[in-house]
């Protein structure tokens, strides 16, 4: 396990270097300037701003400075928000995005596993058809469309939830649900397929022969093995929840990091764009590592290292 973790951490370092390099050169190729606006700046002021942020240096000097700053987790000062560094923006807004993402993950996993189990237990019956229809609709409807529908029917028409903002627990429910439904559909399909396979296995047939109830068999025997594909999906799920919150945070006016990321692209705020990209990449790579380690926890038969002959 230790050798596996060390090897994966080295791969993460290499992947981060490639991501940092790609992000830098993509920003160099992007048209326009961070200081481009409707009112054209005087040349003298624009030269001062370029000198302040090092944009007047050759590209290789900028690249070297960017690598050094990134390795020390110093992403620089925002080019649009006066007196605010990218680190301050991340520290202030990421906890909001993390809370929203974790709540959406809990909803997606809980709802998806429940629907998948019900669908498998009532195979080719009404419960199976109803759960499958929900899963297909969840997968098919984009999250931003669902967000608008939830805002209109549940917040505006019914008045059950606030339309937007971030002032308490009730404000988190609609954006979390908008993010979670799509992933819950995928998890429901994975759980259903895996549960149907487990239901035909020998150990489940033996448990039935002993007279155990179907829900006892599910929770004590088959569900643990059936969850392995769901654990495999946790890496893409975490990535989807985090990146999927970008648009949702804009729609619901949630003051999270995704909202700042979208705004920084519109404003051509280079330091915020590159800082948030590197930060999100590191979070997602570590999440994939954690998922790989969870494999051996859920199923000890899985070896992280090749078996010895």
């Amino acid at each position: 396990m230790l050798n596996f973790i060390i090897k994966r951490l080295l791969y993460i370092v290499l992947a981060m270097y490639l991501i940092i390099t790609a992000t830098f050169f993509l920003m160099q190729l992007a048209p326009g300037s961070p200081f481009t606006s409707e009112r054209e700046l005087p040349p003298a002021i624009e030269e001062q701003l370029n000198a302040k942020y090092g944009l007047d240096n050759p590209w290789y000097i900028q690249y070297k400075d960017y690598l050094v700053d990134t390795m020390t987790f110093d992403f620089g000062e925002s080019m649009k928000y006066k007196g605010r560094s990218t680190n301050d923006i991340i520290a202030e807004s990421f906890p909001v995005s993390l809370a929203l993402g974790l709540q959406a993950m809990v909803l997606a996993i809980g709802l998806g596993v429940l629907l998948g189990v019900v669908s498998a237990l009532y195979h080719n019956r009404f419960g199976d058809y109803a759960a499958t229809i929900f899963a297909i609709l969840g997968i098919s409807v984009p999250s931003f469309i669902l967000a608008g529908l939830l805002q209109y029917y549940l917040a505006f028409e019914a008045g059950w939830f606030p339309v937007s903002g971030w002032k308490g627990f009730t404000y988190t429910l609609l954006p979390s649900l908008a993010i979670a439904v799509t992933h819950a559909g995928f998890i429901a399909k994975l759980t259903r397929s895996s549960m149907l396979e487990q239901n035909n296995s020998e150990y489940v047939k033996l448990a039935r022969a002993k007279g155990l109830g179907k829900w006892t068999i599910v929770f004590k025997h088959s569900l643990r093995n059936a969850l392995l594909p769901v654990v495999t999906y946790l890496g893409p799920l975490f990535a989807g929840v985090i990146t999927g919150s970008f648009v949702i945070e804009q729609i619901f006016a949630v003051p999270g990091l995704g909202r700042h990321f979208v705004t920084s692209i519109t404003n051509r705020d280079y330091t915020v764009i590159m800082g948030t990209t590197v930060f999100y990449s590191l979070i997602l790579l570590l999440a994939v590592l954690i998922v790989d380690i969870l494999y051996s926890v859920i199923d000890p038969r899985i070896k992280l290292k090749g078996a010895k002959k």
Side-chain angles (χ1 to χ4, degrees):
M1 175 70 76
L2 182 60
N3 292 334
F4 171 79
I5 294 176
I6 292 174
K7 185 184 294 186
R8 288 300 302 271
L9 289 175
L10 293 176
Y11 287 150
I12 288 176
V13 171
L14 176 60
M16 287 301 302
Y17 171 74
L18 295 176
I19 291 170
I20 291 169
T21 302
T23 304
F24 173 81
F25 286 107
L26 285 174
M27 294 307 304
Q28 290 289 317
L29 295 173
S33 165
F35 312 117
T36 302
S37 60
E38 296 180 359
R39 295 179 58 187
E40 187 174 354
L41 293 174
I45 295 179
E46 188 167 355
E47 288 178 5
Q48 291 179 0
L49 290 172
N50 288 329
K52 177 181 178 181
Y53 292 102
L55 299 179
D56 56 347
N57 293 326
W59 67 267
Y60 50 88
I61 298 296
Q62 296 184 46
Y63 178 59
K64 184 264 295 180
D65 293 338
Y66 176 51
L67 282 179
V68 172
D69 292 341
T70 302
M71 286 189 292
T72 58
F73 291 96
D74 181 10
F75 299 118
E77 185 179 344
S78 170
M79 297 180 179
K80 289 295 182 179
Y81 299 102
K82 300 297 183 182
R84 296 193 66 189
S85 67
T86 303
N87 295 53
D88 293 337
I89 294 174
I90 293 174
E92 176 185 319
S93 55
F94 180 69
V96 176
S97 295
L98 182 62
L100 177 62
L102 291 178
Q103 186 169 312
M105 283 187 67
V106 171
L107 283 174
I109 295 171
L111 186 59
V113 170
L114 177 63
L115 289 174
V117 170
V118 170
S119 182
L121 288 180
Y122 299 95
H123 184 48
N124 288 334
R125 285 185 280 176
F126 175 76
D128 185 14
Y129 300 144
T132 301
I133 290 173
F134 179 88
I136 293 174
L137 287 176
I139 295 171
S140 304
V141 178
S143 59
F144 59 89
I145 298 294
L146 180 61
L149 294 174
L150 292 175
Q151 279 184 320
Y152 181 76
Y153 288 106
L154 298 184
F156 183 73
E157 289 287 337
W160 295 343
F161 302 96
V163 177
S164 62
W166 190 263
K167 299 178 182 178
F169 177 72
T170 56
Y171 288 81
T172 68
L173 296 177
L174 289 186
S176 299
L177 187 60
I179 298 171
V181 166
T182 299
H183 302 289
F186 281 107
I187 293 174
K189 299 293 285 183
L190 289 172
T191 306
R192 177 184 182 273
S193 300
S194 186
M195 282 291 298
L196 288 176
E197 181 181 351
Q198 297 300 323
N199 287 342
N200 294 322
S201 61
E202 295 298 327
Y203 73 93
V204 171
K205 292 179 182 178
L206 178 61
R208 289 173 183 163
K210 290 181 178 179
L212 296 179
K214 59 182 179 181
W215 288 105
T216 303
I217 295 173
V218 167
F219 290 111
K220 287 192 174 181
H221 298 282
S222 59
L223 185 58
R224 179 172 179 176
N225 291 328
L227 284 180
L228 196 59
V230 177
V231 175
T232 306
Y233 184 68
L234 286 182
L237 170 63
F238 188 79
V241 164
I242 294 296
T243 56
S245 66
F246 290 177
V247 178
I248 299 301
E249 288 178 10
Q250 285 286 99
I251 294 174
F252 287 95
V254 177
L257 187 55
R259 186 181 179 190
H260 284 293
F261 182 76
V262 175
T263 306
S264 66
I265 295 175
T266 305
N267 294 335
R268 295 187 182 91
D269 195 342
Y270 290 169
T271 52
V272 175
I273 292 173
M274 293 189 288
T276 52
T277 301
V278 171
F279 181 75
Y280 271 125
S281 300
L282 180 60
I283 294 295
L284 296 179
L285 289 172
L286 291 176
V288 172
L289 172 61
I290 294 172
V291 169
D292 288 342
I293 296 174
L294 284 177
Y295 288 162
S296 63
V297 175
I298 292 180
D299 191 347
R301 296 171 298 176
I302 295 177
K303 301 298 182 182
L304 298 178
K305 188 177 180 181
K308 295 182 180 179
K309 295 184 179 180

